[in-house]
Amino acid sequence: MERTLVLVKPDGVQRRLVGEIISRLERRGLKLLGMKLLKPSRSLAEKHYESLKDRPFYPSLIDFLTSGPVVAMVWEGPKAVEAVRQTLGATDPLKAAPGTIRGDLGLHIQMNLAHGSDSPETAEREVNLWFSPEELVTWKAADEGS
Ligand code: UDP
Ligand code: MG
């Protein structure tokens, strides 16, 4: 089992697409372990995207991520990192396949609705950055077997 961090970015919240995005992840079969709405501080946004700090779009990306509330979530499942990235689609919504969140709902490379961790190692780092252990719930679904 793997855990991964998902953020509904400020554009997704402002466009009232939180439910749509959660619904797609639920229907994929992933399990929600934690969720909260918050307006990220600059320091949190900078830590979250620290691997991109030398990219030209980094300053505007930090402005964007701190521009309004985001919904932060932890989802679990087999290969959850890859499953979420596949359900999100390519970074650029214009290149994301139809049927994906970004391909169906977006057009803008920065305002691309949601974030998903890009590897199991990144996911561990990001889950710990956004959530404390007591904010995550371990539970078993009725259809999961024993
Ligand atoms: N981004 C951007 N301009 C670019 C590439 C990326 O504004 O040319 C933004 C976009 O919001 C993207 C985020 O930076 O989701 C992080 O980029 P990354 O390459 O990690 O894409 P992701 O993992 O989100 O698909
Ligand atoms: Mg990324």
Side-chain angles (χ1 to χ4, degrees):
M1 277 301 160
E2 232 169 64
R3 299 185 314 173
T4 189
L5 181 85
V6 174
L7 302 175
V8 179
K9 295 182 183 180
D11 58 322
V13 175
Q14 287 163 28
R15 291 177 57 201
R16 277 76 163 172
L17 290 170
V18 173
E20 169 77 31
I21 291 166
I22 290 175
S23 171
R24 287 174 181 234
L25 297 171
E26 277 193 311
R27 282 185 285 149
R28 189 76 202 267
L30 294 158
K31 186 160 81 173
L32 186 60
L33 304 187
M35 172 162 68
K36 61 186 171 186
L37 178 107
L38 72 158
K39 190 162 181 285
S41 64
R42 274 200 102 69
S43 132
L44 177 58
E46 285 168 0
K47 280 184 203 137
H48 176 75
Y49 278 131
E50 85 189 351
S51 67
L52 299 174
K53 65 175 180 299
D54 297 328
R55 306 294 284 275
F57 58 83
Y58 177 78
S60 103
L61 178 58
I62 299 302
D63 286 345
F64 165 55
L65 196 68
T66 55
S67 66
V70 306
V71 175
M73 298 174 278
V74 177
W75 290 87
E76 184 184 76
K79 298 246 176 116
V81 167
E82 189 185 343
V84 164
R85 301 267 304 175
Q86 195 181 54
T87 299
L88 280 178
T91 304
D92 182 352
L94 288 174
K95 297 189 182 119
T100 64
I101 289 167
R102 289 164 170 170
D104 287 350
L105 306 172
L107 284 172
H108 193 284
I109 189 157
Q110 180 168 85
M111 292 177 279
N112 59 2
L113 297 149
H115 165 84
S117 309
D118 65 9
S119 72
E121 297 70 35
T122 312
E124 269 318 294
R125 186 184 85 79
E126 292 178 351
V127 166
N128 291 324
L129 180 63
W130 288 82
F131 287 89
S132 58
E134 58 273 22
E135 290 177 307
L136 301 176
V137 179
T138 305
W139 59 283
K140 200 177 193 36
D143 59 2
E144 253 182 283
S146 49

